[in-house]
Amino acid sequence: MPVTGICVGAYQVGRGVANSVEAVNASKAGMQWDQEKREWIFYYLNKDKEEVEQLEAALKAEKDGNTSGDAGKTDLNEKKVKDREFYDLLGVSTNASAGDIKKAYYKKARSCHPDKCPGDEEAAGRFQDLGHAYQILSNEQTRANYDKNGKPETNSADANLANEIDPLVFFAVMFGSHLVEPYVGELWLATTADTMMKDMMEQQQAMDMESMTEEDAARILAGKTSNDEMILKQRKREVKCALNLREKIVPYIEAKGEDDIEKFKASVVSEAAKIADTSFGATFLVTIGFALQVEGEEFLGFQNTVGGVGGHAARWKKTRKNTQNNWKLMGAGINAATTGRKAMKEVEAAQKALEEKRATEAIEGSTDKDGEGGGEGSAMDEEQAKMAAQKLEETIPALLELAWAINIRDISRTLKHACKKLFTDADVPMAVRVQRAEAIQLIGEEFYCIGKSRGGEKYSVKDSADIKARAEVAVMTTMAKAQGQEVNEDDAEEMISQAKKMRADMEAGGGGTTPESDDAEKESS
């Protein structure tokens, strides 16, 4: 046994030495270790992009087949729905795809638009009804809810608000991330919220399907598709960021001399300054800048320094920063949980006090006597609702701090993988990959420097007026886009500035808001 152990140990040591030499040589050549194939391979960014598109198409086909179960059937075998009025308005089957619904809407809209029907007083009404039907059926969540429950009892904004909120649009406006989207893609918070909402609607719809098999139900409940979809979305996001970065640094790669490099640097500085002028822009710059800078340093360090000393130094810097971010995330999570529990306890205590007060007044006969006193009960209910809303607003800064901590870690991880794809792309020689790393490092240094000078390292979301204004505009923007209106990023930022100014003017003039001022604010918005 000792002899056997020595022989096995010697074999493993020899194998490890051989594999280490192979790993060093393969890594130096720009190859990547494929965990599934258990071998060193060359990575190709364009090929990765094609694979992502193929997987996305396959997943969509599988998802459509599993959720509808009616693809390819005739209209006689349409999916059963609670109400089909909107489908009839558009002239489509209940099995119609999103593309079919869109085509039908545009075709109908052209024919019944008020401008195409001069003198027809009912044209505007028909066009509005058509738009409302398209608004419901073009959104996966609202369509699933309509199929299950039919038309809502009221068409008010409050009744349809939850269904019209698009997490992707909401978070983009809330954090002002449109200018940095080429670098970071869609934020993880937004994609997660969007997927969760879709899953909830799909599960509700699936539970009502008479033809649902046990396997399909088990798959939906287990969230298999959601997990696959989330992984694929993140991979697509990383590939897209890598492609955007590749396009961004073309001027640097094609530079003929120092003048061209200086022009590239000036364009980076100009872009960073524009980003810094937006809300949370400085924090975005610091986060993106550090990630790009350290990824470039790491790659160049392993390529250009003896024994990869520079690469190890950059990797240590990155590890230390990630540890700091993890501690911030943990602290923000604890603070958000503590703040939320405190607010809930205060709301419950106030509610209990109001109920005791109401019971005491009822016993004393001071309420509802001879039909009087009902106004006092309504006033107490209004006071309770107002107090609950105020307590909820007090928790928003803590929740947003947590959201930002999540965003920072998410952006760092995404850029880490995007840069790795860019630097190990075997479609170009090693010399070009080194140039890519140099360009990325330059962008990172400029972004980080400008973001740090604007206070981006110590981000703060304590400005409640800014939070409220951004939240209001984010909701309005999602509702507007759900109704087919176009709202660009500049319009959203201008609306946020106006909302903040209006709040500041009201607080300076009256120390608060009144019903009249609230109405004026809503009308202006």
Side-chain angles (χ1 to χ4, degrees), residues 294 298 310-323:
V294 76
E298 181 180 351
H312 289 294
R315 185 172 291 177
W316 165 248
K317 185 193 299 186
K318 181 168 58 176
T319 301
R320 184 179 60 183
K321 186 69 172 180
N322 289 339
T323 302

PDB file of all heavy atoms in Angstrom, residues 294 298 310-323:
ATOM      1  N   VAL A 294      -9.089  47.715 -14.400  1.00  0.00           N
ATOM      2  CA  VAL A 294      -8.434  46.581 -13.764  1.00  0.00           C
ATOM      3  C   VAL A 294      -8.426  45.355 -14.675  1.00  0.00           C
ATOM      4  O   VAL A 294      -7.471  44.554 -14.640  1.00  0.00           O
ATOM      5  CB  VAL A 294      -9.105  46.266 -12.410  1.00  0.00           C
ATOM      6  CG1 VAL A 294     -10.437  45.557 -12.599  1.00  0.00           C
ATOM      7  CG2 VAL A 294      -8.194  45.441 -11.517  1.00  0.00           C
ATOM      8  N   GLU A 298      -4.994  43.575 -15.824  1.00  0.00           N
ATOM      9  CA  GLU A 298      -4.759  42.162 -15.570  1.00  0.00           C
ATOM     10  C   GLU A 298      -4.288  41.447 -16.841  1.00  0.00           C
ATOM     11  O   GLU A 298      -3.300  40.694 -16.814  1.00  0.00           O
ATOM     12  CB  GLU A 298      -6.034  41.504 -15.042  1.00  0.00           C
ATOM     13  CG  GLU A 298      -5.878  40.027 -14.719  1.00  0.00           C
ATOM     14  CD  GLU A 298      -7.156  39.398 -14.186  1.00  0.00           C
ATOM     15  OE1 GLU A 298      -8.118  40.145 -13.906  1.00  0.00           O
ATOM     16  OE2 GLU A 298      -7.190  38.156 -14.057  1.00  0.00           O
ATOM     17  N   GLY A 310       2.435  41.651 -12.982  1.00  0.00           N
ATOM     18  CA  GLY A 310       1.458  42.725 -13.130  1.00  0.00           C
ATOM     19  C   GLY A 310       0.035  42.214 -13.149  1.00  0.00           C
ATOM     20  O   GLY A 310      -0.883  42.839 -12.601  1.00  0.00           O
ATOM     21  N   GLY A 311      -0.162  41.043 -13.760  1.00  0.00           N
ATOM     22  CA  GLY A 311      -1.492  40.456 -13.793  1.00  0.00           C
ATOM     23  C   GLY A 311      -1.967  40.033 -12.425  1.00  0.00           C
ATOM     24  O   GLY A 311      -3.133  40.252 -12.057  1.00  0.00           O
ATOM     25  N   HIS A 312      -1.066  39.440 -11.639  1.00  0.00           N
ATOM     26  CA  HIS A 312      -1.432  39.033 -10.278  1.00  0.00           C
ATOM     27  C   HIS A 312      -1.739  40.247  -9.401  1.00  0.00           C
ATOM     28  O   HIS A 312      -2.650  40.206  -8.567  1.00  0.00           O
ATOM     29  CB  HIS A 312      -0.310  38.200  -9.656  1.00  0.00           C
ATOM     30  CG  HIS A 312      -0.177  36.830 -10.250  1.00  0.00           C
ATOM     31  ND1 HIS A 312      -1.161  35.869 -10.100  1.00  0.00           N
ATOM     32  CD2 HIS A 312       0.803  36.273 -11.006  1.00  0.00           C
ATOM     33  CE1 HIS A 312      -0.783  34.761 -10.737  1.00  0.00           C
ATOM     34  NE2 HIS A 312       0.403  34.978 -11.300  1.00  0.00           N
ATOM     35  N   ALA A 313      -0.986  41.332  -9.607  1.00  0.00           N
ATOM     36  CA  ALA A 313      -1.227  42.555  -8.836  1.00  0.00           C
ATOM     37  C   ALA A 313      -2.609  43.129  -9.153  1.00  0.00           C
ATOM     38  O   ALA A 313      -3.358  43.547  -8.252  1.00  0.00           O
ATOM     39  CB  ALA A 313      -0.145  43.582  -9.127  1.00  0.00           C
ATOM     40  N   ALA A 314      -2.962  43.152 -10.446  1.00  0.00           N
ATOM     41  CA  ALA A 314      -4.282  43.655 -10.844  1.00  0.00           C
ATOM     42  C   ALA A 314      -5.379  42.749 -10.311  1.00  0.00           C
ATOM     43  O   ALA A 314      -6.438  43.224  -9.879  1.00  0.00           O
ATOM     44  CB  ALA A 314      -4.359  43.762 -12.363  1.00  0.00           C
ATOM     45  N   ARG A 315      -5.139  41.450 -10.325  1.00  0.00           N
ATOM     46  CA  ARG A 315      -6.136  40.513  -9.826  1.00  0.00           C
ATOM     47  C   ARG A 315      -6.356  40.709  -8.326  1.00  0.00           C
ATOM     48  O   ARG A 315      -7.494  40.616  -7.841  1.00  0.00           O
ATOM     49  CB  ARG A 315      -5.684  39.085 -10.117  1.00  0.00           C
ATOM     50  CG  ARG A 315      -6.698  38.019  -9.751  1.00  0.00           C
ATOM     51  CD  ARG A 315      -6.249  36.659 -10.263  1.00  0.00           C
ATOM     52  NE  ARG A 315      -6.303  36.593 -11.721  1.00  0.00           N
ATOM     53  CZ  ARG A 315      -5.897  35.530 -12.421  1.00  0.00           C
ATOM     54  NH1 ARG A 315      -5.386  34.473 -11.813  1.00  0.00           N
ATOM     55  NH2 ARG A 315      -5.997  35.531 -13.749  1.00  0.00           N
ATOM     56  N   TRP A 316      -5.292  40.980  -7.590  1.00  0.00           N
ATOM     57  CA  TRP A 316      -5.426  41.237  -6.154  1.00  0.00           C
ATOM     58  C   TRP A 316      -6.218  42.523  -5.914  1.00  0.00           C
ATOM     59  O   TRP A 316      -7.065  42.585  -5.021  1.00  0.00           O
ATOM     60  CB  TRP A 316      -4.054  41.314  -5.509  1.00  0.00           C
ATOM     61  CG  TRP A 316      -4.076  41.919  -4.133  1.00  0.00           C
ATOM     62  CD1 TRP A 316      -3.550  43.106  -3.740  1.00  0.00           C
ATOM     63  CD2 TRP A 316      -4.697  41.364  -2.958  1.00  0.00           C
ATOM     64  NE1 TRP A 316      -3.792  43.337  -2.411  1.00  0.00           N
ATOM     65  CE2 TRP A 316      -4.500  42.279  -1.910  1.00  0.00           C
ATOM     66  CE3 TRP A 316      -5.413  40.191  -2.711  1.00  0.00           C
ATOM     67  CZ2 TRP A 316      -4.974  42.054  -0.634  1.00  0.00           C
ATOM     68  CZ3 TRP A 316      -5.886  39.969  -1.428  1.00  0.00           C
ATOM     69  CH2 TRP A 316      -5.665  40.886  -0.410  1.00  0.00           C
ATOM     70  N   LYS A 317      -5.947  43.540  -6.721  1.00  0.00           N
ATOM     71  CA  LYS A 317      -6.685  44.800  -6.600  1.00  0.00           C
ATOM     72  C   LYS A 317      -8.179  44.571  -6.842  1.00  0.00           C
ATOM     73  O   LYS A 317      -9.035  45.100  -6.132  1.00  0.00           O
ATOM     74  CB  LYS A 317      -6.144  45.816  -7.607  1.00  0.00           C
ATOM     75  CG  LYS A 317      -6.771  47.207  -7.479  1.00  0.00           C
ATOM     76  CD  LYS A 317      -6.446  48.069  -8.691  1.00  0.00           C
ATOM     77  CE  LYS A 317      -4.974  48.291  -8.850  1.00  0.00           C
ATOM     78  NZ  LYS A 317      -4.676  49.256  -9.960  1.00  0.00           N
ATOM     79  N   LYS A 318      -8.478  43.754  -7.841  1.00  0.00           N
ATOM     80  CA  LYS A 318      -9.874  43.457  -8.169  1.00  0.00           C
ATOM     81  C   LYS A 318     -10.545  42.664  -7.050  1.00  0.00           C
ATOM     82  O   LYS A 318     -11.698  42.932  -6.683  1.00  0.00           O
ATOM     83  CB  LYS A 318      -9.932  42.677  -9.484  1.00  0.00           C
ATOM     84  CG  LYS A 318     -11.326  42.315  -9.949  1.00  0.00           C
ATOM     85  CD  LYS A 318     -11.326  41.810 -11.379  1.00  0.00           C
ATOM     86  CE  LYS A 318     -10.432  40.617 -11.561  1.00  0.00           C
ATOM     87  NZ  LYS A 318     -10.511  40.057 -12.940  1.00  0.00           N
ATOM     88  N   THR A 319      -9.822  41.693  -6.495  1.00  0.00           N
ATOM     89  CA  THR A 319     -10.376  40.892  -5.398  1.00  0.00           C
ATOM     90  C   THR A 319     -10.676  41.757  -4.184  1.00  0.00           C
ATOM     91  O   THR A 319     -11.719  41.609  -3.538  1.00  0.00           O
ATOM     92  CB  THR A 319      -9.385  39.775  -5.011  1.00  0.00           C
ATOM     93  OG1 THR A 319      -9.151  38.951  -6.152  1.00  0.00           O
ATOM     94  CG2 THR A 319      -9.953  38.923  -3.895  1.00  0.00           C
ATOM     95  N   ARG A 320      -9.761  42.657  -3.877  1.00  0.00           N
ATOM     96  CA  ARG A 320      -9.968  43.546  -2.729  1.00  0.00           C
ATOM     97  C   ARG A 320     -11.196  44.436  -2.935  1.00  0.00           C
ATOM     98  O   ARG A 320     -11.998  44.634  -2.016  1.00  0.00           O
ATOM     99  CB  ARG A 320      -8.722  44.407  -2.523  1.00  0.00           C
ATOM    100  CG  ARG A 320      -8.777  45.317  -1.297  1.00  0.00           C
ATOM    101  CD  ARG A 320      -7.497  46.101  -1.158  1.00  0.00           C
ATOM    102  NE  ARG A 320      -7.266  46.943  -2.323  1.00  0.00           N
ATOM    103  CZ  ARG A 320      -6.170  47.691  -2.477  1.00  0.00           C
ATOM    104  NH1 ARG A 320      -5.207  47.668  -1.569  1.00  0.00           N
ATOM    105  NH2 ARG A 320      -6.041  48.444  -3.564  1.00  0.00           N
ATOM    106  N   LYS A 321     -11.342  44.962  -4.151  1.00  0.00           N
ATOM    107  CA  LYS A 321     -12.497  45.820  -4.447  1.00  0.00           C
ATOM    108  C   LYS A 321     -13.796  45.017  -4.374  1.00  0.00           C
ATOM    109  O   LYS A 321     -14.807  45.508  -3.839  1.00  0.00           O
ATOM    110  CB  LYS A 321     -12.338  46.422  -5.848  1.00  0.00           C
ATOM    111  CG  LYS A 321     -13.402  47.452  -6.202  1.00  0.00           C
ATOM    112  CD  LYS A 321     -13.237  48.712  -5.364  1.00  0.00           C
ATOM    113  CE  LYS A 321     -14.170  49.812  -5.840  1.00  0.00           C
ATOM    114  NZ  LYS A 321     -14.028  51.046  -5.038  1.00  0.00           N
ATOM    115  N   ASN A 322     -13.774  43.800  -4.884  1.00  0.00           N
ATOM    116  CA  ASN A 322     -14.975  42.964  -4.839  1.00  0.00           C
ATOM    117  C   ASN A 322     -15.365  42.646  -3.403  1.00  0.00           C
ATOM    118  O   ASN A 322     -16.561  42.589  -3.075  1.00  0.00           O
ATOM    119  CB  ASN A 322     -14.750  41.674  -5.622  1.00  0.00           C
ATOM    120  CG  ASN A 322     -14.684  41.905  -7.115  1.00  0.00           C
ATOM    121  OD1 ASN A 322     -15.179  42.912  -7.618  1.00  0.00           O
ATOM    122  ND2 ASN A 322     -14.057  40.991  -7.832  1.00  0.00           N
ATOM    123  N   THR A 323     -14.378  42.438  -2.560  1.00  0.00           N
ATOM    124  CA  THR A 323     -14.663  42.184  -1.140  1.00  0.00           C
ATOM    125  C   THR A 323     -15.333  43.395  -0.506  1.00  0.00           C
ATOM    126  O   THR A 323     -16.302  43.266   0.256  1.00  0.00           O
ATOM    127  CB  THR A 323     -13.371  41.834  -0.384  1.00  0.00           C
ATOM    128  OG1 THR A 323     -12.759  40.685  -0.995  1.00  0.00           O
ATOM    129  CG2 THR A 323     -13.660  41.531   1.072  1.00  0.00           C
TER     130      THR A 323
END
